[in-house]
Amino acid sequence: MKKGYMGKVLVVDLSTREIWEETIPDTVYKSYLSGMGLGAWMLYNRIPANADPLGPDNMLGFMSGLLTGTGSLFTGRWMVVGKSPLTGAWGEANCGGHFSPAIKRCGFDGIFVRGKSDTPVYLYCDDHVREIRDATSLWGQDTVETENALIKTVNRPNAKVACIGPAGESISLISGISTDKGRMAARSGLGAVMGAKRLKAVVLAGTQRIVPHNRDEIKRLSQICNRWVQFQPPFISGPLTAPVGALMRILPTVLTQDGLLYKILLKKWGTVSMNQMSPEMGDSPIKNWKGTNKDWGFSKSYSSNPDVFTKCERVKYHCYSCPLGCGGICLTNGKYQETHKPEYETVLALGGLCMNQDVDSIFYLNELLNRMGMDSISAGATAAFAMECFEKGIITTADTDGVELTWGNPKAVEYLIEKMARREGIGDLLADGVKVAAAKIGNGADEYAIHAGGQEPGMHDSRNDPGFALHYSVEPAPGRHTNGAGLYYEMYQLWKVAKGIPKIPPMYLKSSKYKTSKRHAEIGAVNSKFMNVINGAGVCMFGSFIGAKRIRIFDWLNAAAGWQFTPEDYLETGARVQTLKQAFNIKHGIEPKANKITDRALGIAAQTQGANKGRTVDVDTMMADYWEEFGWDPSTGKPSQEMTNRETINGI
Amino acid sequence: MAFNIIETCIGCGACIRICPSGCITGEKKERHAIDPTLCMECSACGRICPSGSVENRLGQIIQRVKRAQWEKPRFDHKTCMACTICVEACPTGAITLGEPASKDPHAYPELGLEKRCIGCGFCVKECPVTAIAMTAPVEALPA
């Protein structure tokens, strides 16, 4: 099959222990692409309405991308999809590493698991063998131990493992799935779905070839992309990123950002390049979203300046097919000898959000969370929530073994995360995220629980970029920061290749960002559509930031599958996937309005100082406009039945 | 038409042992067979076959080559972008990532497990930036 995709999926029923292949019609790929789109199509049709996310009816999909393995670049992302136990809605998580090609090398575009095993098991798959194997001896082991043990057991070249740690086993609703010894598909609590199914791991060791329609054309486009990526002028030192952020805060105008600048930062430092720049410009939530850049100024963020992370970086690593290499392995002085270089999200969630300046504790907790298989964004956000509850007297030292949960106390952060990871003491209360914890604690704790539909948002302040407020609130998987923002739209530069979408001028007044305008929804809708194309293709979001003329995703897709679709056609495909995911939520009883992010993150009440002083985001209007962009009911966010029937192609 | 083993096969099993996808079956001293759904067309079976019994999809017999003369990948690290596509493309796990050089923190691919290499050239085929070339070993000329 010379189409880039494999045309088949593997379905596993852990209850009956049956395993079978299913052929997917070409129409499905043309309508939804592969990856998350194919996953949405399967799950919409296969999970019965109102299924328990932790029950046997939920189906978990491990998805590769259409472009993975075709010679295209930045296309090593794999995705996990399912009904989220954290939000009760569509659940998705996205991860790099080397698991994505492993799915296709077994001959599949996705592996779907339903049912529930009575005992711990793992799924093994290669060119010949598809087996459910006993994992009793692995139950209780952390993700690194599990991966090492399984690689040794299967003894196959290039075997790849996706597994859960103790957090997933104990059904923590903020647990994720690990590959490459600690790279996490962390969001939406899908590790808990694996844990509930008693599925400890998926091990893949196939060798099949991935054959695109026109590899030479793909390579030609890859070489264009690579030339831009390798363009790397010398850049300033880490701490000097802070004044750049401050300048962006002070200027009354916005210079539309070319993603090449961010690419340069990523190549030099990775995502930690934003550790000081983001707080300075008002992009980072501080002190459980009630603080500002004045609380987390240069002197406080300096301890986690980008150079700190590159100085202890033993080696930079690249995800599959990535020419950039923003990842790294760092040597540490603590309990663990080394850890994946913490991401910006992790550093801010465990740092600025909790006012914690101790970078050693961040290295330690980063590795602990990776090994326990827990989402560092949600874990850090939940720790910050607990600290504010402590400040307000809702939680006391009687609940914390005498530990003072004061802001900036690294021992308090370590205590909370360790307890959550092991579900011990107060950790048992907090291990399911802020929404569940606030409901259990009561006493007005929900005022301090910052979430969208139950999921803790990423470390990007929606008061600084209202696009984040929109996407946190309207996405079928709420609270995710990787689905869109005003800044992302600027960097995609899609207007250079697609017709009929808003064009951003090279410079504009910053105040225009905060005015109510339908423009926010227009841009937001294009962001969501494009992200569905990216997730169908398996492209890294950071790669797509270098601009649509430089990374030719639409042309790659045509060359891989032999199609002749236009960029506008692909955005229409993205819209179809979005409607499908929204229809999934409606089918499962989700009211889209209920996913609106907590008031504090919208500037209600507005902050009285700092970068986002006086800003309030009118997200209600933006949400209605956004839904209208998709042709859904603007008052409820629900697609009509006619539209649902048309876009979900049930009959296949 | 996939790869095929013809009737001159002597059933020695050399192809079974080298096939990285395990797609060849057959009893000893009997004609072996290739499963066309699993064959990745690496040609290793043909290059190792002592009786010249493997034909490619064009019906041409694959010539036997002494294993010491099999082509092996050589990496141009100035062109290489360390994307690891070749590492994952290698069906035998022969390509590994080396240690970073003192001034360059990236880990580049190398033929770390050379004995595993079957000279299939998939690494060359999949490399997007033509940073790999297959070269035959150069024998030292007699003095």
Side-chain angles (χ1 to χ4, degrees):
Chain A
M1 181 183 279
K2 288 187 171 182
K3 292 176 178 174
Y5 52 86
M6 311 307 280
K8 287 188 297 183
V9 296
L10 188 73
V11 184
V12 180
D13 190 321
L14 293 175
S15 297
T16 63
R17 302 215 157 212
E18 289 174 292
I19 302 176
W20 66 95
E21 292 179 11
E22 291 188 20
T23 301
I24 304 297
D26 286 344
T27 327
V28 171
Y29 294 97
K30 285 181 179 169
S31 301
Y32 305 111
L33 303 177
S34 186
M36 214 175 273
L38 171 61
W41 178 76
M42 280 290 286
L43 267 53
Y44 178 82
N45 287 305
R46 302 296 174 92
I47 301 177
N50 302 312
D52 176 3
L54 299 173
D57 287 338
N58 196 5
M59 188 179 240
L60 198 62
F62 299 85
M63 311 304 302
S64 184
L66 197 153
L67 287 176
T68 300
T70 61
S72 51
L73 302 182
F74 290 109
T75 47
R77 303 297 290 189
W78 67 280
M79 292 135 276
V80 58
V81 294
K83 183 173 180 181
S84 166
L86 183 64
T87 65
W90 168 257
E92 60 187 31
N94 187 309
C95 187
H98 297 82
F99 196 69
S100 187
I103 296 171
K104 286 175 99 165
R105 297 238 184 263
C106 288
F108 306 111
D109 294 308
I111 296 171
F112 293 89
V113 183
R114 72 179 193 199
K116 204 169 184 173
S117 173
D118 293 330
T119 55
V121 292
Y122 74 91
L123 173 70
Y124 175 77
C125 181
D126 63 21
D127 297 328
H128 309 268
V129 181
R130 289 91 199 246
E131 277 181 355
I132 298 167
R133 295 179 176 175
D134 179 54
T136 309
S137 63
L138 299 169
W139 206 250
Q141 293 194 26
D142 72 33
T143 57
V144 176
E145 292 167 343
T146 301
E147 189 166 335
N148 285 338
L150 285 168
I151 293 289
K152 194 174 172 188
T153 302
V154 303
N155 191 27
R156 290 291 308 273
N158 289 339
K160 296 287 176 284
V161 176
C163 65
I164 55 170
E169 292 172 13
S170 63
I171 326 287
S172 159
L173 300 189
I174 55 171
S175 58
I177 301 165
S178 161
T179 56
D180 288 17
K181 299 177 188 176
R183 280 197 72 96
M184 299 289 296
R187 308 253 60 200
S188 304
L190 296 173
V193 178
M194 267 181 91
K197 291 185 180 305
R198 298 262 205 286
L199 178 65
K200 178 69 177 173
V202 175
V203 185
L204 306 178
T207 62
Q208 295 190 32
R209 299 291 98 190
I210 302 157
V211 189
H213 176 74
N214 186 347
R215 190 180 284 277
D216 289 341
E217 173 64 2
I218 292 174
K219 281 190 181 185
R220 188 184 72 79
L221 297 168
S222 294
Q223 287 168 12
I224 294 170
C225 177
N226 184 47
R227 278 199 289 273
W228 286 104
V229 174
Q230 301 310 330
F231 169 70
Q232 187 73 2
F235 202 70
I236 54 176
S237 73
L240 284 176
T241 54
V244 176
L247 188 68
M248 291 165 86
R249 181 184 75 236
I250 294 162
L251 283 176
T253 54
V254 176
L255 299 171
T256 299
Q257 200 178 119
D258 189 313
L260 267 192
L261 171 65
Y262 187 48
K263 190 283 301 178
I264 292 165
L265 299 176
L266 270 181
K267 197 165 166 62
K268 186 171 169 76
W269 288 293
T271 58
V272 290
S273 57
M274 303 308 290
N275 286 358
Q276 287 198 284
M277 194 188 288
S278 276
E280 286 297 331
M281 69 169 124
D283 175 53
S284 307
I286 303 298
K287 206 175 183 184
N288 198 31
W289 294 74
K290 71 172 181 173
T292 71
N293 59 301
K294 288 186 183 291
D295 300 297
W296 192 250
F298 179 84
S299 61
K300 289 200 171 157
S301 65
Y302 180 77
S303 63
S304 56
N305 83 70
D307 287 344
V308 169
F309 297 84
T310 44
K311 272 179 189 158
C312 64
E313 197 172 31
R314 178 175 67 76
V315 58
K316 281 185 184 292
Y317 69 75
H318 297 234
C319 296
Y320 175 77
S321 79
C322 174
L324 193 149
C326 69
I329 300 293
C330 292
L331 299 171
T332 68
N333 297 322
K335 182 181 171 189
Y336 302 110
Q337 285 188 328
E338 59 181 36
T339 182
H340 284 264
K341 183 167 62 184
E343 301 292 344
Y344 158 82
E345 299 290 328
T346 307
V347 175
L348 259 292
L350 300 169
L353 203 66
C354 300
M355 300 293 288
N356 174 22
Q357 294 178 65
D358 182 359
V359 78
D360 285 339
S361 74
I362 292 172
F363 275 118
Y364 161 64
L365 291 172
N366 179 62
E367 183 63 12
L368 177 70
L369 286 164
N370 289 347
R371 283 172 176 262
M372 301 308 275
M374 191 175 257
D375 177 1
S376 59
I377 294 176
S378 289
T382 308
F385 157 80
M387 290 170 113
E388 188 162 2
C389 286
F390 185 85
E391 183 184 57
K392 304 293 179 191
I394 299 171
I395 292 174
T396 67
T397 47
D399 305 306
T400 63
D401 306 317
V403 177
E404 301 268 349
L405 302 186
T406 47
W407 295 112
N409 177 2
K411 293 291 169 207
V413 185
E414 286 184 18
Y415 167 81
L416 286 167
I417 301 290
E418 284 171 350
K419 290 288 178 186
M420 283 159 63
R422 297 187 175 87
R423 267 199 184 278
E424 293 170 356
I426 194 172
D428 186 37
L429 185 80
L430 299 172
D432 296 324
V434 296
K435 187 183 175 191
V436 172
K440 285 181 182 171
I441 295 168
N443 289 328
D446 57 341
E447 190 183 335
Y448 315 116
I450 314 300
H451 67 90
Q455 178 150 247
E456 298 74 13
M459 295 298 107
H460 298 279
D461 199 320
S462 30
R463 293 163 293 200
N464 177 60
D465 184 337
F468 281 115
L470 178 66
H471 290 280
Y472 287 148
S473 303
V474 290
E475 290 294 336
R480 295 197 67 216
H481 64 283
T482 51
N483 281 327
L487 177 63
Y488 297 179
Y489 187 78
E490 290 178 14
M491 293 196 284
Y492 292 148
Q493 300 181 341
L494 284 170
W495 61 85
K496 291 186 176 176
V497 298
K499 295 175 193 139
I501 59 172
K503 187 180 176 186
I504 307 293
M507 191 168 73
Y508 58 91
L509 278 176
K510 194 185 279 174
S511 57
S512 67
K513 272 204 312 186
Y514 306 105
K515 283 182 183 156
T516 303
S517 161
K518 281 206 177 240
R519 185 94 159 172
H520 292 302
E522 285 174 36
I523 286 171
V526 179
N527 271 334
S528 296
K529 292 173 192 174
F530 185 53
M531 187 46 69
N532 284 329
V533 176
I534 286 178
N535 286 335
V539 180
C540 172
M541 185 183 72
F542 294 146
S544 65
F545 282 166
I546 67 170
K549 278 256 185 188
R550 298 165 184 145
I551 177 167
R552 308 269 282 274
I553 296 168
F554 304 124
D555 295 331
W556 268 335
L557 282 166
N558 282 341
W563 297 332
Q564 292 181 325
F565 293 142
T566 63
E568 297 80 33
D569 293 333
Y570 281 111
L571 291 178
E572 199 52 44
T573 301
R576 192 176 300 118
V577 174
Q578 194 74 350
T579 298
L580 183 64
K581 292 197 287 189
Q582 190 78 341
F584 176 96
N585 279 359
I586 306 306
K587 178 179 173 181
H588 290 271
I590 297 292
E591 284 295 332
K593 274 191 166 179
N595 285 346
K596 189 174 86 168
I597 194 166
T598 313
D599 281 353
R600 183 184 283 181
L602 297 170
I604 306 172
Q607 291 191 302
T608 54
Q609 62 167 7
N612 299 315
K613 178 184 174 184
R615 288 178 187 157
T616 299
V617 182
D618 178 11
V619 82
D620 293 303
T621 305
M622 289 166 73
M623 289 168 78
D625 290 345
Y626 175 92
W627 290 330
E628 199 171 10
E629 284 288 321
F630 283 93
W632 309 338
D633 185 336
S635 60
T636 63
K638 296 180 182 178
S640 66
Q641 194 56 51
E642 184 195 350
M643 188 179 198
T644 303
N645 293 342
R646 188 174 68 240
E647 303 293 36
T648 54
I649 54 174
N650 268 322
I652 292 176
Chain B
M1 182 71 183
F3 277 33
N4 183 39
I5 296 177
I6 60 174
E7 61 277 6
T8 53
C9 169
I10 57 172
C12 67
C15 55
I16 294 177
R17 288 190 292 278
I18 201 157
C19 175
S21 62
C23 72
I24 304 175
T25 51
E27 296 298 319
K28 205 154 190 174
K29 295 186 179 172
E30 287 181 18
R31 182 181 171 185
H32 292 358
I34 296 174
D35 179 347
T37 61
L38 292 175
C39 174
M40 62 171 87
E41 303 185 2
C42 65
S43 302
C45 51
R47 281 194 300 275
I48 204 148
C49 177
S51 59
S53 301
V54 183
E55 58 183 21
N56 64 18
R57 60 165 55 232
L58 301 173
Q60 300 160 332
I61 295 294
I62 299 167
Q63 294 301 309
R64 186 188 184 200
V65 181
K66 202 174 157 189
R67 183 128 196 208
Q69 292 300 314
W70 285 13
E71 291 187 330
K72 297 221 165 25
R74 294 289 175 265
F75 302 88
D76 173 6
H77 286 169
K78 283 185 182 165
T79 311
C80 176
M81 49 188 178
C83 73
T84 74
I85 284 179
C86 55
V87 178
E88 300 301 324
C90 178
T92 62
I95 302 175
T96 56
L97 289 174
E99 285 298 310
S102 58
K103 284 189 177 174
D104 185 350
H106 298 268
Y108 290 95
E110 59 187 25
L111 197 58
L113 299 166
E114 191 169 346
K115 282 186 179 171
R116 286 189 184 182
C117 178
I118 55 170
C120 63
F122 288 143
C123 48
V124 175
K125 197 173 176 184
E126 297 201 13
C127 174
V129 292
T130 329
I132 313 173
M134 295 297 285
T135 56
V138 179
E139 284 182 16
L141 293 171

